[in-house]
Amino acid sequence: MLHSSMASLPVIFVSMFIFSLPILPSSSSAMITSLAKGSSLSIQDFLVSTPNPTFTAGFFSIGENAYCFSIWFTQPNDDGNHTVVWMANRDQPVNGKGSRFSLQKSGNLVLTDAGKFQVWTSNTKTESDSSSSSVDLQLQEDGNLVLRDSKNQNLWQSFDSPTDTLLPGQIFTGNSPLISKRSLTNYSSGFYKLYFDTDNILRQMYQGPEITSIFWPDPWLNSKDAGRSTDNNSKTAVLDFLGHFHSSDEFKFNVVDYGPGIQRRFTIDFDGSLRVYSLVNTSRSWKVSWQAKLLPCNNHGICGLNSLCTYDHETGRKCSCAPGYRRVNQSDWSYGCEPEFQLPCDDFNASGWLELKQTEYYGYDVGFFPNYTFEQCKELCLKYCDCKGFQFKYDVGNGYYDCFPKTLLFNGYTSIGFPDPMYLRLPKSNLSSFSPNLSQRVSDLKCSAQIITLDRQYGKKHHPGWVKTFLWCTLAVGAIEIICLLSYLYTTRIRSRARVQGYLQVGTGFRKFSYAELKKATKNFSEIIGRGGSGDVYKGVLPDNRVAAVKCLDQANYHTEAVFLTEVSTIGRLNHMNLIELWGYCAEGKHRLLVYEHMEHGSLAKNLQSDKLDWKKRYDIALGTAKGLAYLHEECLEWVLHCDVKPENILLDSNYHPKVADFGLSKLLNRGGGDQISSFSRIRGTRGYMAPEWVFNLPITSKVDVYSYGIVVLEMVTGKNPVGSYDKEENGSRNVMMEPKRLVQWVKENMHEEGDNNTNNDDEVDGKMYGVLKVLDPRIKEGDEEVDVEKMENLIRVAIQCAEEDRDGRPTMRQVVDLLMHQNSDQ
Ligand SMILES: *[C@@H]1O[C@H](CO)[C@@H](O)[C@H](O)[C@H]1NC(C)=O
Ligand SMILES: *[C@@H]1O[C@H](CO)[C@@H](O)[C@H](O)[C@H]1NC(C)=O
Ligand SMILES: *[C@@H]1O[C@H](CO)[C@@H](O)[C@H](O)[C@H]1NC(C)=O
Ligand SMILES: *[C@@H]1O[C@H](CO)[C@@H](O)[C@H](O)[C@H]1NC(C)=O
Ligand SMILES: *[C@@H]1O[C@H](CO)[C@@H](O)[C@H](O)[C@H]1NC(C)=O
Ligand SMILES: *[C@@H]1O[C@H](CO)[C@@H](O)[C@H](O)[C@H]1NC(C)=O
Ligand SMILES: *[C@@H]1O[C@H](CO)[C@@H](O)[C@H](O)[C@H]1NC(C)=O
Ligand SMILES: *[C@@H]1O[C@H](CO)[C@@H](O)[C@H](O)[C@H]1NC(C)=O
Ligand SMILES: *[C@@H]1O[C@H](CO)[C@@H](O)[C@H](O)[C@H]1NC(C)=O
Ligand SMILES: *[C@@H]1O[C@H](CO)[C@@H](O)[C@H](O)[C@H]1NC(C)=O
Ligand SMILES: *[C@@H]1O[C@H](CO)[C@@H](O)[C@H](O)[C@H]1NC(C)=O
Ligand SMILES: *[C@@H]1O[C@H](CO)[C@@H](O)[C@H](O)[C@H]1NC(C)=O
């Protein structure tokens, strides 16, 4: 890795060429490639990397007359800013005038502020015989600033003391943590830290003004369950040039654009998210190619104390104070909020309780109190003077409620993913003046563009662009935290496995199964109930007599158990009546299995071939499916975007209520990395239901699901199958195949055929009726109950809109739900 180019030259020369860098306010900057002993850089001077000038080192302006000696990418980003990868004095900026970065005769590197006062030093020196020994400082092409002696040995290198960024090839060690910036524009040390713990585990910690908590890997998992190993005490981690990250505790991942020739950086961002960014050559912008946690609200401390974090489509998160609390510092959320009330400790009668729906505060419990009534929980909280409220949570596994009194309101998160409320303790007298005014969700979904789009340039080399796009859709980001829903552990206290297992079950009933257990449950995998691209599904009966569908994933063995666990538990926390419920998983050796609830009536595809579905059931299935998808889209879990909405993936329970299945699955199969690309063709969206974006290589957004949904509904209504998969054996089957485009066109034409331009009302109704009845699946008409033409017409119109070629013309899933519900309430 070390270049031995100019370092060994006996005479060090400083090559100077006049060069003007666009952003820095100097008219005549000097650009050199090596700094010799006894010389120094002032703020006009820059050291550029050799042989390619990819990086520049010098004084970086961080404010008015405030500079930090830094290394940055020479080329500016598209917004004109430079991306800094290292800083010597981030917390102690120097003046512009008179500050110098010098390589002293002794071999020491020193940064001095204007008044000669030393701000930073490398603490190096050359051997004493040294008048002849040469030392020089060079910036390597990989971004490493290296001080080398005449024997070509490194005396010092910037790679050993990273700030918030690791470059490819840079070895991260236990000696020097990564610490985030303070904010997007403030480069000084922030609150998030990535470091090797004393037990050799790579962890992430929030170190705020008042509170410290470790939040990655998930604190309630012991290291083994988190897939980490404590055995290797070398404490090193590195992102290689291909985009593979490996840590000595066995944490590893590949970025989504894995492969050579892409400039990347691994950064701990000011919001606490660990991300790998890839540089898009054409636009000079950075795209996220891996991220440890998708939702910044899951990062501890993000909004400070006594606050609430909600997902925001534009910025990723939005902070607000809990009702009854006000901001401490108007410009900085990390100071959180403070109470604007006083509650006497001994006056029990003064406390009132304010319900915050779908809200969780993670950690800082007085304890865990199972099987408590609401009254008991209130009383318990009152017993503790510092109890700020309690989480009251239904325990699915046991069928009772659990009580979690909180001593601190920290890591507050409001999300539709949380089924249970939090109760805040506030003065009873003023209770009505505190309103749980939580931000309204934006109905027009716009997920952060950086996460869902990737420049197509990357894709073209090996495979068509849609493959990459699909990758982005399904694999957009890496492991996601099993969020608080699953646990209320006191952040650092509890490590016991039994306890953990119990906590995981609290809330979702989600758990880990052993392979033997599942083998037994499925009677040696004897009763197969489905085959899919991702694996076969078997019926099984769990020890507690619940009937389950056990899916054995093929090709899932690329995932380590840890990655599998994090992803599976994220899917497990998605909780909606129209999503199939994940009860647990098994990851043993090469086996990767998922345990789902069993759906009595099987798939919609199967049922469409039968005569079981009258118009009402079909309508309800359409509505339920829309609700399920809307929920998935709501939090912008881009990788969960279904991408494969089709009748086979809509399952029906004993009452024919629909549940969407298979979401997020393609990610579990980890078909993104390296060699597995070729198998991608099998798991893309299914022909017939695939939105035109795939074909035309346009950005993939949640609107692809909307398109597929539209086609599925049209199929449900008309009985015409856009794939032609189930009209083979039965000639005279009414499931006539029809290309999706033609299907949409055909329905449109029939709906418009008569009455459209008719001013006469009666005729209009007749016309509609005629159109609707003409396209309806004949089997619907055969049903006993008379078809509600108005409703069906509305459904068809919505479906046509969903199947618009132009994605901007399609409604969001939430709007679809509203359109259908609105029709309901009209009746
Ligand atoms: C980047 O540049 C824009 C304007 O060009 C500026 O508003 C923004 O603060 C800059 N960001 C950083 C991190 O310096
Ligand atoms: C950056 O944040 C630090 C710590 O809060 C603060 O002291 C400093 O003034 C900030 N710098 C700027 C330029 O805002
Ligand atoms: C420890 O981790 C390092 C870096 O990943 C690796 O090179 C080394 O072989 C590991 N040692 C053992 C004993 O596994
Ligand atoms: C991006 O640019 C770098 C340097 O100019 C080059 O080496 C690399 O091949 C380019 N990558 C792509 C994907 O074009
Ligand atoms: C708020 O925080 C900023 C940045 O840390 C600091 O500069 C400012 O003085 C603080 N304001 C108050 C009122 O404490
Ligand atoms: C309660 O509200 C009243 C008026 O709304 C206010 O004057 C009083 O200070 C509040 N009390 C507390 C404890 O906040
Ligand atoms: C609270 O109110 C109840 C009746 O409403 C009363 O019996 C009790 O003494 C009161 N407690 C205190 C501490 O005021
Ligand atoms: C929960 O508590 C109630 C009342 O204390 C008790 O009757 C019930 O058996 C408990 N349930 C369980 C599952 O322990
Ligand atoms: C709730 O918040 C919205 C905007 O954030 C505001 O317009 C509205 O007045 C608030 N309602 C209450 C009751 O505070
Ligand atoms: C399952 O298969 C094993 C051998 O593979 C056999 O010993 C066992 O009896 C079988 N169990 C059942 C329930 O069929
Ligand atoms: C199916 O129907 C078509 C036309 O209706 C006919 O030509 C064909 O022979 C039939 N096939 C079978 C297997 O009955
Ligand atoms: C019906 O109205 C559409 C526009 O709404 C128009 O394009 C079409 O020509 C009209 N057809 C007749 C028969 O008037």
Side-chain angles (χ1 to χ4, degrees):
M1 241 173 47
L2 304 178
H3 298 289
S4 58
S5 51
M6 299 171 82
S8 53
L9 292 181
V11 181
I12 304 300
F13 59 92
V14 177
S15 55
M16 311 270 269
F17 18 117
I18 303 307
F19 186 84
S20 172
L21 279 180
I23 54 132
L24 293 153
S26 57
S27 49
S28 63
S29 310
M31 194 173 101
I32 59 175
T33 54
S34 141
L35 186 66
K37 216 155 123 176
S39 53
S40 65
L41 297 171
S42 67
I43 71 153
Q44 292 96 336
D45 305 323
F46 302 101
L47 190 62
V48 291
S49 58
T50 48
N52 282 323
T54 313
F55 292 92
T56 300
F59 287 89
F60 187 85
S61 166
I62 61 150
E64 211 172 303
N65 195 33
Y67 293 84
C68 293
F69 190 81
S70 316
I71 300 171
W72 61 87
F73 283 95
T74 305
Q75 275 207 53
N77 303 333
D78 52 356
D79 64 359
N81 297 346
H82 284 259
T83 303
V84 174
V85 297
W86 180 79
M87 275 188 173
N89 56 320
R90 65 196 309 201
D91 291 318
Q92 219 180 332
V94 295
N95 283 294
K97 218 169 174 192
S99 295
R100 300 198 86 78
F101 185 80
S102 328
L103 175 50
Q104 295 175 337
K105 287 251 159 50
S106 63
N108 198 8
L109 281 170
V110 175
L111 175 64
T112 47
D113 198 357
K116 301 273 179 266
F117 127 78
Q118 185 173 312
V119 171
W120 176 90
T121 170
S122 64
N123 286 318
T124 45
K125 55 170 171 286
T126 43
E127 268 110 64
S128 46
D129 64 326
S130 63
S131 56
S132 61
S133 86
S134 66
V135 189
D136 91 328
L137 183 73
Q138 281 199 24
L139 184 55
Q140 293 179 172
E141 203 186 335
D142 58 4
N144 194 5
L145 185 64
V146 181
L147 183 67
R148 247 179 304 221
D149 65 12
S150 52
K151 292 174 202 132
N152 216 12
Q153 276 176 332
N154 281 6
L155 296 174
W156 176 88
Q157 56 178 358
S158 63
F159 269 15
D160 288 340
S161 55
T163 44
D164 64 351
T165 296
L166 292 179
L167 289 168
Q170 178 171 6
I171 293 172
F172 180 66
T173 67
N175 305 327
S176 192
L178 288 189
I179 294 178
S180 66
K181 295 202 287 197
R182 191 65 171 73
S183 70
L184 189 58
T185 49
N186 187 333
Y187 288 86
S188 59
S189 298
F191 298 134
Y192 293 95
K193 175 167 146 183
L194 180 76
Y195 67 108
F196 274 103
D197 213 335
T198 47
D199 61 357
N200 303 327
I201 303 289
L202 186 63
R203 290 188 207 282
Q204 212 188 335
M205 178 196 265
Y206 167 76
Q207 234 171 350
E210 285 161 86
I211 282 168
T212 295
S213 73
I214 294 172
F215 63 97
W216 183 81
D218 301 307
W220 58 87
L221 294 175
N222 65 35
S223 46
K224 190 160 167 290
D225 283 349
R228 308 296 188 86
S229 153
T230 52
D231 303 339
N232 189 329
N233 64 5
S234 67
K235 297 189 186 177
T236 57
V238 67
L239 176 70
D240 71 16
F241 288 89
L242 295 174
H244 174 73
F245 184 92
H246 188 111
S247 154
S248 57
D249 69 352
E250 291 302 318
F251 172 69
K252 51 191 165 209
F253 65 82
N254 281 354
V255 298
V256 294
D257 54 0
Y258 183 87
I262 298 172
Q263 180 65 58
R264 300 191 180 85
R265 63 188 166 93
F266 176 98
T267 301
I268 179 167
D269 278 324
F270 70 93
D271 66 358
S273 292
L274 291 177
R275 299 190 175 99
V276 176
Y277 290 90
S278 298
L279 186 63
V280 179
N281 272 6
T282 47
S283 63
R284 292 294 309 174
S285 58
W286 292 96
K287 304 278 179 191
V288 177
S289 51
W290 177 83
Q291 181 168 319
K293 290 163 206 293
L294 182 54
L295 302 171
C297 281
N298 291 345
N299 294 339
H300 282 185
I302 194 148
C303 294
L305 269 180
N306 304 318
S307 61
L308 276 173
C309 187
T310 46
Y311 185 81
D312 181 82
H313 297 314
E314 314 244 300
T315 58
R317 74 181 148 119
K318 195 158 143 190
C319 298
S320 57
C321 285
Y325 292 80
R326 62 170 167 247
R327 280 189 77 169
V328 172
N329 182 320
Q330 290 307 317
S331 61
D332 194 341
W333 270 109
S334 39
Y335 294 97
C337 307
E338 60 192 2
E340 50 188 15
F341 57 85
Q342 283 179 333
L343 254 185
C345 213
D346 49 357
D347 185 0
F348 296 155
N349 290 356
S351 293
W353 308 95
L354 183 71
E355 179 183 359
L356 295 180
K357 289 205 167 70
Q358 300 183 316
T359 297
E360 297 233 336
Y361 282 90
Y362 173 80
Y364 308 100
D365 305 326
V366 172
F368 167 56
F369 303 92
N371 196 8
Y372 264 57
T373 65
F374 185 66
E375 286 303 319
Q376 284 173 321
C377 197
K378 276 201 296 201
E379 268 172 44
L380 183 67
C381 182
L382 287 175
K383 276 190 204 149
Y384 297 91
C385 187
D386 59 354
C387 177
K388 303 288 195 297
F390 60 90
Q391 201 94 48
F392 192 60
K393 186 152 191 58
Y394 188 64
D395 183 333
V396 179
N398 292 308
Y400 51 58
Y401 286 88
D402 297 325
C403 177
F404 301 88
K406 303 273 171 193
T407 55
L408 280 179
L409 299 177
F410 203 48
N411 309 319
Y413 187 3
T414 297
S415 159
I416 47 171
F418 299 131
D420 296 303
M422 167 81 193
Y423 291 89
L424 282 189
R425 183 185 191 179
L426 293 168
K428 197 191 251 166
S429 55
N430 286 27
L431 200 56
S432 53
S433 66
F434 304 121
S435 94
N437 194 359
L438 302 174
S439 66
Q440 288 299 304
R441 301 197 152 268
V442 191
S443 65
D444 192 16
L445 182 82
K446 279 209 179 61
C447 295
S448 156
Q450 63 176 7
I451 289 175
I452 54 171
T453 57
L454 180 70
D455 195 285
R456 297 309 139 110
Q457 298 285 332
Y458 292 150
K460 295 211 169 110
K461 238 187 244 165
H462 310 294
H463 28 262
W466 65 263
V467 171
K468 273 295 176 191
T469 317
F470 186 78
L471 262 166
W472 276 94
C473 187
T474 52
L475 298 161
V477 270
I480 293 180
E481 180 177 35
I482 312 171
I483 70 171
C484 329
L485 172 64
L486 302 176
S487 161
Y488 296 90
L489 285 182
Y490 212 139
T491 320
T492 46
R493 196 193 278 166
I494 300 156
R495 290 270 155 82
S496 126
R497 194 185 173 121
R499 193 94 189 253
V500 166
Q501 200 56 256
Y503 268 111
L504 284 170
Q505 280 174 58
V506 172
T508 56
F510 181 82
R511 77 175 186 96
K512 179 175 181 166
F513 292 88
S514 71
Y515 188 70
E517 222 173 336
L518 292 182
K519 196 168 170 185
K520 191 162 162 235
T522 56
K523 299 197 184 106
N524 278 355
F525 302 101
S526 54
E527 191 180 342
I528 190 161
I529 53 175
R531 284 177 208 277
S534 47
D536 295 341
V537 185
Y538 301 88
K539 190 171 173 180
V541 179
L542 300 180
D544 58 6
N545 288 327
R546 287 184 298 174
V547 182
V550 178
K551 183 164 207 151
C552 303
L553 300 178
D554 321 322
Q555 301 185 31
N557 48 344
Y558 308 113
H559 266 310
T560 63
E561 246 181 89
V563 176
F564 187 79
L565 169 64
T566 17
E567 283 161 9
V568 139
S569 22
T570 309
I571 297 172
R573 95 178 165 89
L574 296 172
N575 192 328
H576 189 276
M577 60 189 252
N578 294 115
L579 294 183
I580 198 94
E581 210 176 300
L582 184 62
W583 285 343
Y585 70 99
C586 163
E588 259 178 44
K590 290 225 154 197
H591 301 296
R592 297 287 182 273
L593 297 93
L594 298 175
V595 182
Y596 290 105
E597 62 179 320
H598 179 250
M599 297 290 277
E600 199 156 309
H601 280 116
S603 74
L604 173 62
K606 198 180 104 191
N607 282 274
L608 278 178
Q609 299 171 71
S610 73
D611 290 335
K612 301 257 169 56
L613 301 179
D614 60 21
W615 74 269
K616 203 164 185 321
K617 287 198 184 102
R618 294 188 196 215
Y619 189 89
D620 289 342
I621 290 168
L623 179 58
T625 305
K627 284 180 179 169
L629 290 174
Y631 170 81
L632 281 184
H633 290 182
E634 202 95 332
E635 285 232 12
C636 274
L637 293 167
E638 286 294 331
W639 61 267
V640 175
L641 283 191
H642 198 288
C643 292
D644 199 11
V645 177
K646 56 180 177 180
E648 285 79 5
N649 284 336
I650 297 167
L651 304 183
L652 304 176
D653 72 6
S654 53
N655 296 316
Y656 292 97
H657 292 149
K659 296 199 185 201
V660 179
D662 267 18
F663 46 88
L665 204 66
S666 23
K667 178 161 165 53
L668 278 182
L669 298 174
N670 191 22
R671 284 174 180 161
D675 314 339
Q676 285 85 49
I677 289 279
S678 54
S679 59
F680 243 87
S681 54
R682 284 182 36 223
I683 57 158
R684 62 178 181 175
T686 308
R687 194 173 58 87
Y689 304 96
M690 262 166 74
E693 286 98 299
W694 296 113
V695 182
F696 297 118
N697 208 12
L698 294 167
I700 298 303
T701 65
S702 56
K703 292 291 181 71
V704 301
D705 286 352
V706 178
Y707 179 89
S708 310
Y709 171 81
I711 300 293
V712 168
V713 171
L714 288 180
E715 173 176 0
M716 243 197 299
V717 172
T718 62
K720 294 193 191 306
N721 176 263
V723 191
S725 62
Y726 49 67
D727 60 345
K728 281 168 198 145
E729 61 242 45
E730 228 184 304
N731 210 0
S733 156
R734 281 160 297 196
N735 289 311
V736 186
M737 186 206 163
M738 206 181 236
E739 285 290 327
K741 240 182 172 163
R742 263 193 58 214
L743 175 61
V744 176
Q745 198 51 41
W746 179 76
V747 173
K748 262 190 191 164
E749 278 164 9
N750 279 296
M751 298 293 288
H752 283 279
E753 205 158 70
E754 284 183 33
D756 238 21
N757 298 15
N758 206 319
T759 44
N760 185 313
N761 263 347
D762 287 349
D763 284 1
E764 194 172 313
V765 171
D766 286 350
K768 268 185 196 167
M769 200 143 178
Y770 177 78
V772 171
L773 291 179
K774 203 167 162 205
V775 298
L776 275 199
D777 186 344
R779 275 167 303 196
I780 297 185
K781 285 181 261 183
E782 285 159 15
D784 298 338
E785 216 181 325
E786 204 179 317
V787 179
D788 184 331
V789 177
E790 285 281 325
K791 267 189 156 180
M792 285 319 251
E793 200 234 343
N794 183 43
L795 180 60
I796 293 170
R797 295 212 180 279
V798 171
I800 290 175
Q801 224 187 324
C802 290
E804 273 285 329
E805 297 276 302
D806 172 17
R807 70 195 141 109
D808 294 330
R810 297 175 210 148
T812 64
M813 246 20 251
R814 178 54 60 193
Q815 286 166 334
V816 169
V817 172
D818 289 345
L819 287 168
L820 297 180
M821 298 279 275
H822 178 65
Q823 179 69 17
N824 268 350
S825 58
D826 269 4
Q827 297 302 300

